[in-house]
Amino acid sequence: MSKGVHDVKNDLYHYLKVIGGGRFATSGVLPNATNPGLFVHGVGKIGLPLSDRDAEALAIAANRAPFGKGSETFVDPAVRNTWELNPIQFEIRNPASTTTLREAVERVAEDLRVLSGASSVRPELHKLLLYEPGSFFDKHRDTEKAPGMFFTLVIALPSEHTGGDVIVQHGDDIHTLQTQGLYDFGYSYLAWYADVNQSVSKVETWYLLVLTYNLMQQLMLTPNLDEVLTLWDKQLCDNESGASTEYTWDRLVYILDRDYSEANISINQHKGKDQLRMRYLSEACRDHGFCAHFQFGQFGSVDEDEDNPYWAAGADVHEFLLEELESTWMLKTILESDGQRLAKGIELEDEEEEETIINRPDFEDLEPDDEECAGWTGNEGCTATHFYYRTCAVVSCQELADSTICRRGVA
């Protein structure tokens, strides 16, 4: 296979890795911040650092903050004990505060390595939150509050307090973002991907006052991705015209961070970095957007208990006896970006096709998602197949299920 073909795969891998490739959470101080000039309807001007008198007035004007569970919204102080004001209830009257917001967005874009930088991020004011002594928020995950929302931004206003740490978790990584102590007379920012698990620890003393923003990323296609796909286009055209006899992949598979059911596989339902990557791919591929369910199966012999003929059905997962196993790779289901099924059961039948997987995962230490165990019969040994399921993007130029996916299509 030519070096150029390898470059397409590697370049696409590195490009997708860069998209959302930074940290998933960040925090820091805003040394140049200005007083936002908070004015709350029915209360008046709010002084900073926050006084007990103004905090008590805010609590009277505010409402209990709700939380979402599935498609429903609840108010339960045992889960979320926080006061909130909606943007229609207050004003930010100092025009210079836009500079503070822009500084916070720039720092977040740099810290989280946002593709195209701060110029591609649009902040949208969401709430003014007041945490009083005893306030907290149990572990939860932010919902997408606006189309294209990828990050949550919090600007902590000058307010002396202890407690109120934000604990964010992505996989096994846990970060604690603090506001106490350092910012009694200053401003700070906290930000995280909207799909991470998070909680707010109990405020022990005094008050914590914060402005929250939804950060939407406006996609700005960069030359790098376009150049990679243009090179691939040329290789495919040369191959079709006979100008080149080198093998060229007609599809490449990228495994997403999360697994999605068929009901929520559309791009709009993807979370965090997955949505960023799929949106950029779809934009670059001229809006031919598709997703796929990916299946990896391992087949091999397993230990058996001849004294228990029902043994095979009794265990959840059986250990393979041999290291060398037969394996299969399959695009189990391919769906359009709106979730409509396009094709199914496309096997990657040989080593060449297996190499179309850009970021091939290592399943060695992972528990399988499913297993089929044949049990033992007569002189034959016991065999089992372990199945691993993932959701992926397929950049494709081939026909699938009697529908031609245009060059630069994302399946």
Side-chain angles (χ1 to χ4, degrees):
M1 193 173 294
S2 69
K3 179 179 182 296
V5 175
H6 276 295
D7 286 344
V8 170
K9 178 181 173 181
N10 291 334
D11 287 349
L12 192 56
Y13 166 76
H14 289 298
Y15 182 86
L16 292 172
K17 187 177 180 181
V18 165
I19 299 175
R23 290 176 286 170
F24 65 87
T26 186
S27 63
V29 297
L30 296 169
N32 302 315
T34 58
N35 189 314
L38 278 179
F39 181 90
V40 176
H41 300 299
V43 175
K45 295 179 181 179
I46 303 299
L48 296 174
L50 184 66
S51 66
D52 289 352
R53 181 192 63 191
D54 283 350
E56 291 167 1
L58 281 173
I60 293 173
N63 302 305
R64 285 286 182 190
F67 64 94
K69 187 175 183 180
S71 59
E72 298 184 80
T73 301
F74 301 90
V75 175
D76 184 353
V79 176
R80 187 183 189 188
N81 185 6
T82 314
W83 296 105
E84 71 167 28
L85 288 94
N86 293 309
I88 60 172
Q89 296 177 274
F90 67 93
E91 299 174 36
I92 297 176
R93 288 189 167 181
N94 184 359
S97 64
T98 58
T99 303
T100 301
L101 179 58
R102 179 47 52 187
E103 180 187 0
V105 171
E106 288 174 352
R107 289 173 178 265
V108 170
E110 181 179 357
D111 293 347
L112 302 184
R113 291 170 57 187
V114 174
L115 202 67
S116 303
S119 61
S120 67
V121 178
R122 178 174 59 85
E124 181 181 90
L125 181 62
H126 183 54
K127 303 282 185 181
L128 176 66
L129 300 180
L130 174 68
Y131 292 81
E132 60 187 359
S135 292
F136 66 95
F137 194 176
D138 277 348
K139 187 175 180 179
H140 64 285
R141 182 177 295 169
D142 281 348
T143 56
E144 184 179 333
K145 304 178 185 73
M149 174 188 169
F150 297 107
F151 314 102
T152 294
L153 169 66
V154 172
I155 295 182
L157 305 176
S159 48
E160 185 178 9
H161 64 280
T162 59
D165 295 344
V166 178
I167 299 95
V168 291
Q169 180 176 2
H170 181 63
D172 295 328
D173 294 332
I174 300 176
H175 289 257
T176 299
L177 311 178
Q178 293 186 322
T179 58
Q180 72 174 44
L182 298 176
Y183 316 125
D184 297 346
F185 296 95
Y187 298 75
S188 62
Y189 69 93
L190 304 85
W192 54 85
Y193 271 94
D195 66 328
V196 303
N197 292 316
Q198 59 183 279
S199 61
V200 180
S201 67
K202 184 180 293 185
V203 171
E204 302 294 344
T205 58
W206 298 295
Y207 297 90
L208 170 61
L209 184 65
V210 302
L211 290 164
T212 65
Y213 294 83
N214 303 323
L215 298 187
M216 276 70 70
Q217 187 167 19
Q218 304 166 88
L219 298 185
M220 300 173 66
L221 187 61
T222 64
N224 292 339
L225 179 56
D226 198 49
E227 289 170 4
V228 170
L229 297 177
T230 298
L231 173 60
W232 191 19
D233 272 350
K234 184 178 184 304
Q235 290 172 343
L236 287 165
C237 290
D238 289 348
N239 188 267
E240 292 169 1
S241 66
S244 172
T245 58
E246 294 284 352
Y247 174 81
T248 304
W249 292 304
D250 54 13
R251 62 171 174 253
L252 288 169
V253 177
Y254 187 86
I255 310 297
L256 301 182
D257 287 348
R258 296 179 179 274
D259 197 27
Y260 301 89
S261 68
E262 191 164 330
N264 66 358
I265 199 173
S266 65
I267 292 176
N268 288 336
Q269 296 295 321
H270 291 167
K271 303 298 182 183
K273 298 178 183 181
D274 286 344
Q275 187 174 135
L276 275 175
R277 289 166 179 152
M278 287 299 294
R279 282 168 61 87
Y280 268 98
L281 274 175
S282 289
E283 182 73 16
C285 297
R286 299 173 190 153
D287 206 30
H288 296 285
F290 303 90
C291 306
H293 280 138
F294 174 82
Q295 172 184 290
F296 172 65
Q298 283 186 320
F299 173 83
S301 61
V302 296
D303 199 4
E304 57 186 322
D305 182 357
E306 295 186 6
D307 295 328
N308 181 4
Y310 300 104
W311 163 86
D316 292 330
V317 176
H318 302 91
E319 296 292 333
F320 288 120
L321 291 176
L322 304 175
E323 292 185 6
E324 294 297 326
L325 304 170
E326 178 185 343
S327 62
T328 58
W329 303 77
M330 176 186 291
L331 300 176
K332 190 177 180 183
T333 321
I334 297 178
L335 304 101
E336 298 186 60
S337 57
D338 61 1
Q340 182 177 344
R341 181 178 294 188
L342 181 65
K344 62 180 180 179
I346 298 178
E347 290 192 29
L348 309 183
E349 297 177 345
D350 53 36
E351 187 175 342
E352 289 267 3
E353 291 203 353
E354 288 180 17
E355 288 187 10
T356 63
I357 303 169
I358 296 173
N359 55 335
R360 183 166 172 165
D362 183 5
F363 296 106
E364 183 176 349
D365 297 324
L366 298 180
E367 194 82 2
D369 296 302
D370 197 7
E371 179 188 85
E372 290 181 0
C373 187
W376 55 272
T377 56
N379 295 324
E380 296 183 7
C382 183
T383 60
T385 303
H386 290 176
F387 295 102
Y388 302 83
Y389 303 115
R390 297 295 183 270
T391 304
C392 63
V394 182
V395 186
S396 178
C397 304
Q398 67 167 355
E399 287 191 358
L400 297 174
D402 298 324
S403 295
T404 300
I405 295 181
C406 299
R407 182 159 295 148
R408 297 191 181 184
V410 181

